[in-house]
Amino acid sequence: MQLYRHKIWTSIFCLFLVSLSLFLFTACEKEIDLNIKSNPNEIIVEGHIENGLPPYVILTKSISLYDNININNLENYFVHGANIIVSNGIDSVQLVEYNSSILQTLPDSVVDAVAAQFGIVVDSSGDFPDVSIYTVPFTAPDFIGEIGKTYQLRIEANGQILTSSTTIPAPVFFDSLWILPHPNPAFADSFFQVYGWLQDPPQLGNYYRYFTKVDNGPLLVSTQTVFDDNFFNGKKFEIFIPKGKPFGTNSSDINFDTDGYWDIADSVCTIKLCQIDKAHYDFWRTLEANRANIGNPFGSFVLVKSNIIGGKGVWGGYGSITGSYVRVP
Amino acid sequence: MKTAVYLVFLDTFTSFMSRRLLLLIACLCLFLPIHAQNETFTLSGFLKDAQNGEALIGANVYVQGNTALGATTNLYGFYSLSLPKGDYQIAFSYIGYATQVQTISLNKDIRQNIELSDNTKALDEVVITDERKDENVKSTTMGKEELSIDRIKSIPALMGEVDIIKALQLMPGVQAAGEGNSGIYVRGGGPDQNLVLLDDAIVYNTGHLFGFFSVFNADAVKNTTLYKGAMPANYGGRLSSVIDIQMKEGNNKRFEMEGGIGIISSRLTIMAPFKKSKSKKTAKGSFLFSGRRTYLFDIIQPLLKKTDFAGTNYFFYDINLKANYQFSDKDRLYVSGYFGRDVFVYNSTKNQTNVKIPWGNATATVRYNHLFNDKLFMNATFVFNDYNFSFSGKQLDFSFRAKSGVRDFNTKIDLDYYLNSKHNLKFGMVYTHHRMTPTQASATSGTTDFESNINRRYSHELAWYASDEFKVNEKLKLDFGFRLSMFQHIGPYGKISGDNIAGFDTVFYKRGKPIKTYFGPEPRFAMRYAFGKNNSIKAGIALNYQYIHLVSSSNSTLPTDVWVQSSAIVKPQMALQYSVGYFRNFKEDMFETSIEVYFKHLWNQIEYGESYVGELNIDPELGYVFGKGKAYGAEFFIKKRTGKLNGWIGYTISRSDRKFKDLNEGKVFVAKYDRTHDLSINIAYNINKEWSVGATFVYATGNAITPANTLSLIEFNPMIGYSERNSYRVPAYHRMDLSLTYTPIPKRRPNRRWHSSYNFSIYNVYNRKNTYFIYNKIEGSTLTGDLKQTPINVSLFPVIPSFTWNFKF
C-alpha cells in the first residue's frame, strides 16, 4: 500500500549506501561453506478459517536450509495422519486429510480456497500438485467460519500436541475502487494502478490482510500483505493496491518499475480485504520481516511470531469481503 | 561467595540512598586524615605550548628525584603543587615536549606559568617521547589510554583519512565494531556505552557514512583520552568508557594554517590570535576554524546530469570552531562548536521520486575558568548538543517525512581543590535536560494527512560528584570517588495504555511533571602500590549507571538508530567493574609493559526482542527485552616509547556474554561485542628527518552471528528458522596496513614556515577478504523446482592504496 512505500524508500536508501560502499570499495562476494547444525522436522501449521468457508489446515515439516524443496518433490514434506479438531466453543469438527487425488471431489468453493493456499487455480482437468490438506469431512459441510466467533484448534501429530485459537473479526471493505495509469509515462501503455478509498473503523486495533486476483486467476498476495491502523486510525484515505505476485516468486526477480502495477490486459481486478486479529497479524508481519531480512546485511534476523502453542506457523481467522473493479478495455 | 559480596555491597548503597549518604561522602572527602605540615607554600600556574599558546593537558609537574611530590595539569593546563618551604628542582614535562627543570625557592606562594617547546622542534633528532617517563607506573589510573595527535597521524589510515577513534581501536580492550568501522566496543560493552565528549559536549553519533569515518577531524583535535577501567568520578552516564576529546584552542602567537587534500576529502584549518598589543608577543585570545568535506560524488555530478538520477548525491562535512579569551590571569573564556552533516539526495525523474536524507551532530560549548586562589580552580560549562536524522521523500502526490534525534542542554560546575601535596580534591555537579525524539513520521497522500503521535520524551539528568586523590606515601596512592546520579522522566508525555481487547486509554502528564525517577549511587575507587624501581600494582572498582540507551538491531550503528531514555519500562543500565593490573617499565622507561585483568557485571542490558519489527507509531521500547551480562578478560600491553623505532603490541583475551529471559530461550549467549582474541600491533620507524614508515597489523576472532538453519514454506514462500543466538563465528579478521610519509625539508630555507608532507598508505596490504557479512543467496523458485540457497561471504575492503598531501603554514 502506498503508505508503506516509505519502506521501499528506506530500502532504496540502504541499497544506495550499500551499493555506494560496494562501488567505492569494490566488495567481493564468494561462496562459503557454512557448517551449521540444523534441527529440521519441526511441525509447521498453516491453517485458516474464513467467514463462509470451512476450516483447513496444511501441516508440513521444516527442512534443512540448504535442502532443495519445490512443487515437484513435496511428498515427504507434508505431515500425514494428524488428528485435528476445530471447535467454535459449541460445535466441533474433526478434520479429514485429503490428498490431491480426492481434492477434486470437494465442493468448488472449498477447492478454490484450498488452491489459493498453494497459489494455484484448479482448472477443469483438476490437476493438483502432490499436496495434502486437512479440512471438514463431507459429513459436516456446514461447519463454516462465522464473523465474530472464536475458533480453537487442536492438532495431534507425530506424538506432539499443538493448540491455538483465532477469531474472525468483522470485515471492512473499500468505499470505492478506481484506476490510474502507471506514473512513469514509459510504462503507462502497459501498466495501471488500482486505488481504493478506505474508511478505517473508529476503534484503534484494526489489522488488515489483502489478496488480489485477476479475472479467474488465483488469489495472490504481494510482498507486504498486512497493515494496521496505528498510523491512520479512524481516517478515510486513498490507498494504492498492489497486484499480488505468483506464489514462490523469488524476491530477487522483482522488477521495481512494474512490481505492484496491474497489467493492461487485466480485466476484472478482484480484491479480497480481510480483517484479522492481532496474533494473526503478528504472524504475517514478522514473517514478512523474516523474509525481507534474508540477505540484508543491516537488518538483523527476525524470528516469526507464531500463535501456535507447541509448534510453529499460524492458525488465522479471516473476516473477508471481496470486490472487483471491472475495467472496460 | 563473590556474588554474595557484591550483592551486599550494592544493597548497602541502594538502601543508603539519602542525604546521609551525601553527607558521609562529603565527610570522607573533606575529613580524611590530613597531616599537618609546618609552613607549606603553593606553586601553581598554567602550562602552555611555546609555539601557539595551547594549554597542555595532563602535563606533569614534579620535584626532581621525588616523583611522589607532583601534580598534573587539568583540562585547562592548570597545576597546583603545595610543598613544605624549601628549595626545589621542579620538572615540567609533557608528551612530545622537551622537559624543563627550574630551581624554585618556595618561601611564599608562587605563580609560575611555563611554556614548553615541542621536542621535534627543540631537538635536532626526531624523537617521540610520550607522557612522563614513568607515568604508567606511577599514576593510579588504570585502563587509561592517551594518544597524541602526532602519533595518531603516523598510523596508516583507510583512504588516508586520519581517524582518532580507529587509532583507539588499536589499544588493548578496545575492539572495532566492524570492518572499517569507527564504532568501538570497550571491554565487552556496546557502542552506546561509550561516553564520547568533544569539548565537554556529548557526541551522540560518532560516524559518517555508516561509521566508516569518524566525525572528528584530526586537524582540529588536540588531545584524546580514553578511560576504559574505573573511570574518575567526574565522568558518568555510560558504562564502558569515556573518550574525552579536546579541540585545539587556536594560536595566540601567530597566524597558522594547515590542511590536506586526500582522495575522498579535503581539510583546512586556520588558527590565529586576536589582536595583539604591540608590546606583547602573545595575544589575550585566539581562535580556530577547521573544515572538512568529501567530494567523491561531487566529481561525478556532470556524469549524472543527463541521466534519470540527476541531482543524486552523497557527501559529508564537518566544521569545528573555537575561540578563547583571557580576561585576566584568573579568568578565561572558551567558546567552541562543532557542526557536521551527512547528506544523501536521491532523485529519479523516471519514477518522479525525490528523497533527501540529512543527518548529523551539532554541539556548542561555553566554558569559563576561574582561579579563586592558588589552590582552587573552577570551570563552569554550558553545553548545547543535538543529533538529528531526517528523511523526506516525495513521489507524485504522496510525500513522507520522518525525523528522530536527541537534544540536550547541559550545565556543570567542576572544582579542583589542590588541598596539599597529599590531597587533590575534585567536586562538582552536572545537570542535563534531554529531549529525545523517537522516529516521528508524517505523510500526505493526495489530500489526506497522516501523523504519527509517538511523543517526544523529556528528562532531567543530574549528578553530584566528589573525589580525592590521596598520596598516602611514596608507595601508596588512593583515589576515592563518589558520584550520585539522578534521572527523571518528566512531562509532557501522553501514554496509551490498554490493548485492543480491553480498549485503549490515554494518560497525559503535564509539562515538567515527574513520571519516573531513578537514583544511582556510584562509588569509584582506585589505588596504586609502587615497589621496586619501576613496578606497580593497581586496582580499581567502579559502579556506573547509564540512563540513556541506543538499542540497535543491526551489527553496525546506523544513522537511523534512535537514542532512548530510561522510563517506567526501560530501567537504567548498570555495571560494576573490578580490575587489577601490574605495570612495569624497562630500560630506563624505554619499554612500558602492563597486564590488566577485568571483570564486569552488567545489569538491565537492552536488546530488541527476537520477533521485533519496527513500526511507525509504536513506541520502540515496547519491543525491548532486558537481561544481564558478564564481561571479563586480560589485556597485555608492551610499548616501546622512544627511539627511531617505536610502537606497541596489545593483546586481549576476553569474553562477553548475556543472559536474557526472552532471548535464546533464556540460555546464555555470547554478546555480539565478544572477541576471544584481539591483537593489535602498531609500529612507526623514522628513517630520517624526512622519511618515516608506519605499519599496523590487527587480528581478531570473527564476529558471532546467528545463522539461518531451517526452511519451511508458507504460501509457498520461504520462512526461515535460525540457530541459537550468536552461535556461529565468521572467519577471523586480520589485516595489515602500511604507510610512508615524506616530509621534505627545504634545502635553501630550512626554517621557512611552509611545510609540506606527502603520505602514501596501503590499507589491507595482502588483500585479506575479511567477512563483512554473510547472506543466503536465493535462486530459482519453489514453483519452477529449482529453488537453491547458497551462503555467500561478502568482504568489503580489498587492498586500497591512497595518497594524501598535507601542508602547514
Short mmCIF file of all heavy atoms in Angstrom, two decimals, chain A residues 202-226:
data_model
loop_
_atom_site.label_atom_id
_atom_site.label_comp_id
_atom_site.label_asym_id
_atom_site.label_seq_id
_atom_site.Cartn_x
_atom_site.Cartn_y
_atom_site.Cartn_z
N PRO A 202 -13.53 3.49 13.73
CA PRO A 202 -13.03 4.44 14.74
C PRO A 202 -12.15 3.82 15.83
O PRO A 202 -11.24 4.47 16.33
CB PRO A 202 -14.30 5.04 15.33
CG PRO A 202 -15.42 4.16 14.89
CD PRO A 202 -14.99 3.48 13.65
N GLN A 203 -12.42 2.59 16.18
CA GLN A 203 -11.65 1.98 17.27
C GLN A 203 -10.25 1.59 16.81
O GLN A 203 -10.10 1.02 15.72
CB GLN A 203 -12.43 0.74 17.75
CG GLN A 203 -11.82 0.04 18.94
CD GLN A 203 -12.01 0.81 20.24
OE1 GLN A 203 -11.17 1.64 20.57
NE2 GLN A 203 -13.10 0.58 20.93
N LEU A 204 -9.24 1.92 17.62
CA LEU A 204 -7.87 1.51 17.28
C LEU A 204 -7.77 -0.01 17.38
O LEU A 204 -8.42 -0.63 18.21
CB LEU A 204 -6.89 2.16 18.27
CG LEU A 204 -5.40 1.98 18.01
CD1 LEU A 204 -4.99 2.67 16.73
CD2 LEU A 204 -4.58 2.54 19.17
N GLY A 205 -6.95 -0.60 16.55
CA GLY A 205 -6.74 -2.04 16.64
C GLY A 205 -7.37 -2.81 15.49
O GLY A 205 -7.90 -3.89 15.70
N ASN A 206 -7.33 -2.20 14.29
CA ASN A 206 -7.78 -2.94 13.11
C ASN A 206 -6.56 -3.45 12.36
O ASN A 206 -5.61 -2.71 12.13
CB ASN A 206 -8.60 -2.03 12.19
CG ASN A 206 -9.95 -1.71 12.78
OD1 ASN A 206 -10.13 -0.65 13.35
ND2 ASN A 206 -10.86 -2.66 12.72
N TYR A 207 -6.61 -4.71 12.00
CA TYR A 207 -5.49 -5.33 11.29
C TYR A 207 -6.02 -5.88 9.98
O TYR A 207 -7.04 -6.56 9.96
CB TYR A 207 -4.88 -6.44 12.15
CG TYR A 207 -4.46 -5.92 13.51
CD1 TYR A 207 -5.30 -6.08 14.62
CD2 TYR A 207 -3.26 -5.23 13.67
CE1 TYR A 207 -4.95 -5.57 15.86
CE2 TYR A 207 -2.90 -4.72 14.91
CZ TYR A 207 -3.74 -4.89 16.00
OH TYR A 207 -3.39 -4.38 17.22
N TYR A 208 -5.31 -5.56 8.91
CA TYR A 208 -5.79 -5.90 7.58
C TYR A 208 -4.84 -6.86 6.86
O TYR A 208 -3.61 -6.77 7.02
CB TYR A 208 -5.86 -4.64 6.71
CG TYR A 208 -6.83 -3.57 7.19
CD1 TYR A 208 -6.46 -2.64 8.15
CD2 TYR A 208 -8.11 -3.49 6.63
CE1 TYR A 208 -7.33 -1.65 8.56
CE2 TYR A 208 -8.99 -2.49 7.05
CZ TYR A 208 -8.60 -1.58 8.01
OH TYR A 208 -9.48 -0.59 8.41
N ARG A 209 -5.41 -7.75 6.05
CA ARG A 209 -4.61 -8.50 5.09
C ARG A 209 -5.40 -8.53 3.80
O ARG A 209 -6.63 -8.62 3.83
CB ARG A 209 -4.34 -9.93 5.60
CG ARG A 209 -3.39 -10.69 4.69
CD ARG A 209 -2.77 -11.92 5.38
NE ARG A 209 -1.53 -12.27 4.70
CZ ARG A 209 -1.38 -13.36 3.93
NH1 ARG A 209 -2.35 -14.23 3.78
NH2 ARG A 209 -0.23 -13.59 3.32
N TYR A 210 -4.72 -8.43 2.70
CA TYR A 210 -5.47 -8.40 1.44
C TYR A 210 -4.85 -9.32 0.40
O TYR A 210 -3.66 -9.64 0.43
CB TYR A 210 -5.54 -6.96 0.90
CG TYR A 210 -4.21 -6.44 0.44
CD1 TYR A 210 -3.87 -6.43 -0.91
CD2 TYR A 210 -3.27 -5.99 1.35
CE1 TYR A 210 -2.64 -6.00 -1.32
CE2 TYR A 210 -2.03 -5.55 0.95
CZ TYR A 210 -1.72 -5.55 -0.39
OH TYR A 210 -0.50 -5.14 -0.79
N PHE A 211 -5.74 -9.77 -0.51
CA PHE A 211 -5.34 -10.62 -1.62
C PHE A 211 -5.84 -9.96 -2.90
O PHE A 211 -6.81 -9.20 -2.86
CB PHE A 211 -6.01 -12.00 -1.51
CG PHE A 211 -5.67 -12.76 -0.25
CD1 PHE A 211 -6.34 -12.49 0.94
CD2 PHE A 211 -4.70 -13.75 -0.27
CE1 PHE A 211 -6.03 -13.20 2.10
CE2 PHE A 211 -4.40 -14.46 0.88
CZ PHE A 211 -5.06 -14.18 2.07
N THR A 212 -5.23 -10.26 -3.99
CA THR A 212 -5.76 -9.77 -5.27
C THR A 212 -5.89 -10.94 -6.23
O THR A 212 -5.24 -11.98 -6.06
CB THR A 212 -4.84 -8.70 -5.90
OG1 THR A 212 -3.62 -9.33 -6.28
CG2 THR A 212 -4.57 -7.55 -4.98
N LYS A 213 -6.68 -10.70 -7.25
CA LYS A 213 -6.96 -11.76 -8.20
C LYS A 213 -7.26 -11.10 -9.54
O LYS A 213 -7.91 -10.05 -9.58
CB LYS A 213 -8.17 -12.55 -7.68
CG LYS A 213 -8.72 -13.60 -8.58
CD LYS A 213 -9.81 -14.34 -7.78
CE LYS A 213 -10.78 -15.01 -8.73
NZ LYS A 213 -11.68 -15.93 -8.03
N VAL A 214 -6.78 -11.68 -10.59
CA VAL A 214 -7.06 -11.14 -11.92
C VAL A 214 -7.99 -12.12 -12.64
O VAL A 214 -7.68 -13.31 -12.73
CB VAL A 214 -5.76 -10.96 -12.72
CG1 VAL A 214 -6.07 -10.59 -14.16
CG2 VAL A 214 -4.89 -9.92 -12.06
N ASP A 215 -9.07 -11.60 -13.11
CA ASP A 215 -10.05 -12.42 -13.84
C ASP A 215 -10.35 -13.70 -13.05
O ASP A 215 -10.74 -13.61 -11.90
CB ASP A 215 -9.53 -12.71 -15.26
CG ASP A 215 -9.26 -11.40 -16.01
OD1 ASP A 215 -9.96 -10.41 -15.72
OD2 ASP A 215 -8.34 -11.35 -16.84
N ASN A 216 -10.11 -14.85 -13.65
CA ASN A 216 -10.40 -16.08 -12.91
C ASN A 216 -9.15 -16.72 -12.33
O ASN A 216 -9.14 -17.91 -12.01
CB ASN A 216 -11.11 -17.09 -13.83
CG ASN A 216 -12.51 -16.60 -14.15
OD1 ASN A 216 -13.22 -16.11 -13.27
ND2 ASN A 216 -12.89 -16.68 -15.41
N GLY A 217 -8.11 -15.94 -12.19
CA GLY A 217 -6.83 -16.46 -11.67
C GLY A 217 -6.91 -16.73 -10.17
O GLY A 217 -7.95 -16.55 -9.54
N PRO A 218 -5.81 -17.20 -9.63
CA PRO A 218 -5.78 -17.48 -8.18
C PRO A 218 -5.70 -16.20 -7.35
O PRO A 218 -5.31 -15.15 -7.85
CB PRO A 218 -4.50 -18.30 -8.02
CG PRO A 218 -3.62 -17.83 -9.14
CD PRO A 218 -4.52 -17.46 -10.28
N LEU A 219 -6.08 -16.31 -6.09
CA LEU A 219 -5.89 -15.20 -5.16
C LEU A 219 -4.40 -15.15 -4.81
O LEU A 219 -3.82 -16.16 -4.41
CB LEU A 219 -6.70 -15.43 -3.89
CG LEU A 219 -8.18 -15.07 -3.96
CD1 LEU A 219 -8.91 -15.67 -2.78
CD2 LEU A 219 -8.37 -13.56 -4.00
N LEU A 220 -3.82 -13.98 -4.96
CA LEU A 220 -2.38 -13.87 -4.74
C LEU A 220 -2.09 -12.78 -3.72
O LEU A 220 -2.93 -11.90 -3.48
CB LEU A 220 -1.68 -13.55 -6.06
CG LEU A 220 -1.82 -14.59 -7.18
CD1 LEU A 220 -1.16 -14.09 -8.45
CD2 LEU A 220 -1.22 -15.92 -6.77
N VAL A 221 -0.90 -12.83 -3.16
CA VAL A 221 -0.51 -11.79 -2.20
C VAL A 221 0.71 -11.04 -2.72
O VAL A 221 1.48 -11.56 -3.51
CB VAL A 221 -0.20 -12.38 -0.80
CG1 VAL A 221 -1.46 -12.80 -0.11
CG2 VAL A 221 0.80 -13.52 -0.90
N SER A 222 0.87 -9.83 -2.22
CA SER A 222 2.02 -9.01 -2.58
C SER A 222 3.13 -9.29 -1.55
O SER A 222 2.97 -10.15 -0.69
CB SER A 222 1.59 -7.55 -2.54
OG SER A 222 2.64 -6.74 -2.94
N THR A 223 4.24 -8.55 -1.63
CA THR A 223 5.33 -8.77 -0.68
C THR A 223 4.91 -8.36 0.72
O THR A 223 5.22 -9.01 1.70
CB THR A 223 6.57 -7.95 -1.07
OG1 THR A 223 6.73 -8.08 -2.48
CG2 THR A 223 7.80 -8.41 -0.35
N GLN A 224 4.18 -7.25 0.77
CA GLN A 224 3.72 -6.78 2.06
C GLN A 224 2.21 -6.91 2.07
O GLN A 224 1.51 -6.21 1.34
CB GLN A 224 4.14 -5.33 2.25
CG GLN A 224 4.12 -4.95 3.69
CD GLN A 224 4.95 -3.72 3.93
OE1 GLN A 224 5.31 -3.02 2.99
NE2 GLN A 224 5.25 -3.45 5.16
N THR A 225 1.70 -7.82 2.87
CA THR A 225 0.29 -8.17 2.75
C THR A 225 -0.55 -7.70 3.91
O THR A 225 -1.77 -7.80 3.87
CB THR A 225 0.14 -9.70 2.66
OG1 THR A 225 0.53 -10.27 3.92
CG2 THR A 225 1.00 -10.28 1.56
N VAL A 226 0.09 -7.25 4.97
CA VAL A 226 -0.69 -6.83 6.15
C VAL A 226 -0.35 -5.40 6.54
O VAL A 226 0.74 -4.91 6.27
CB VAL A 226 -0.42 -7.76 7.37
CG1 VAL A 226 -1.05 -9.12 7.19
CG2 VAL A 226 1.06 -7.88 7.68
#
